[in-house]
């Protein structure tokens, strides 16, 4: 069994602190062997654990470390943006979502999240543009959320 599977089992069982200790040890500053073979992945998992635990500042730090080890990691950029959104920092959220969008292409969930960041910044025309773009490629629940937010942004614009 791969060692990372032990971490995933801890996460699935809801033992998030234990999963984080497997990756970082008790010191919490460096990824431990054997997980240090892919630092991008290991730090991303640490970020995800911290996000799930509601430790957004720590999650941002971990996702940034993941991104540092692989600068083209669009998922890390989106995760950083999501943390900043949770922290009530929509300007930073928009910054990272725009970076991810430039690298990832026309993904509806990116446009939707960027629309939410602009909405929180009271930049309703930009939010409307993003929700329109998101709704073109979205389906199901995401499409419904796009259309609902689009209507609200139009009312406020």
């Amino acid at each position: 069994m791969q060692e990372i599977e032990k971490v995933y089992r801890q996460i699935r069982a809801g033992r998030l602190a234990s999963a984080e200790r497997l990756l970082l040890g008790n010191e919490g500053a460096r990824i431990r062997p054997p997980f240090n073979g892919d630092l991008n992945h290991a730090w991303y998992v640490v970020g995800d654990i911290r996000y799930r635990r509601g430790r957004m500042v720590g999650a941002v730090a971990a996702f940034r470390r993941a991104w540092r080890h692989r600068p083209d990691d669009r998922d890390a950029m989106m995760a950083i943006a999501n943390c900043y959104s949770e922290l009530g920092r929509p300007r930073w959220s928009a910054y990272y979502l725009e970076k991810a969008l430039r690298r990832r292409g026309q993904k509806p969930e990116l446009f939707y999240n960027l629309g939410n960041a602009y909405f929180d910044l009271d930049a309703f025309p930009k939010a409307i543009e993003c929700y329109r773009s998101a709704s073109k490629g979205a389906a199901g629940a995401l499409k419904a959320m796009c259309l609902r937010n689009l209507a609200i942004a139009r009312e406020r614009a």
Side-chain angles (χ1 to χ4, degrees), residues 1-81:
M1 171 193 302
Q2 285 189 325
E3 291 296 312
I4 195 71
E5 188 55 38
K6 292 178 185 176
V7 175
Y8 292 142
R9 271 193 310 197
Q10 295 293 314
I11 292 169
R12 284 191 298 271
R15 294 189 293 269
L16 300 176
S18 176
E20 188 171 350
R21 273 193 309 279
L22 282 172
L23 289 162
L24 297 173
N26 290 327
E27 69 183 58
R30 283 190 208 124
I31 301 294
R32 295 177 342 119
F35 308 108
N36 61 352
D38 183 354
L39 289 171
N40 167 264
H41 183 243
W43 280 113
Y44 190 93
V45 174
V46 170
D48 181 55
I49 290 167
R50 290 175 177 174
Y51 185 92
R52 291 173 189 230
R53 295 178 75 192
R55 296 173 47 211
M56 294 306 146
V57 173
V60 168
F63 287 131
R64 281 178 178 267
R65 289 183 85 166
W67 183 39
R68 190 175 335 145
H69 289 286
R70 203 175 111 215
D72 66 333
D73 188 348
R74 299 171 302 261
D75 292 329
M77 283 182 253
M78 189 165 173
I80 293 166

Side-chain angles (χ1 to χ4, degrees), residues 16 24 26 29 46 58 60 71-72 74 88-89 94 97 103 109 113 124 129 133 136 143 149:
L16 300 176
L24 297 173
N26 290 327
V46 170
V60 168
D72 66 333
R74 299 171 302 261
R89 311 261 327 257
L97 287 166
R103 293 184 187 256
E109 56 277 348
N113 287 348
F124 299 113
E129 183 180 318
S133 295
K136 289 177 186 173
K143 179 132 183 147
N149 287 8

Side-chain angles (χ1 to χ4, degrees), residues 98-146:
E98 288 168 356
K99 281 179 107 36
L101 197 58
R102 284 192 297 273
R103 293 184 187 256
R104 191 174 218 178
Q106 309 298 310
K107 299 291 184 187
E109 56 277 348
L110 283 173
F111 279 115
Y112 175 75
N113 287 348
L114 184 56
N116 288 343
Y118 284 137
F119 189 98
D120 291 343
L121 290 167
D122 293 334
F124 299 113
K126 286 184 174 183
I128 290 167
E129 183 180 318
C130 288
Y131 292 139
R132 280 187 188 142
S133 295
S135 68
K136 289 177 186 173
L142 180 59
K143 179 132 183 147
M145 291 187 303
C146 290

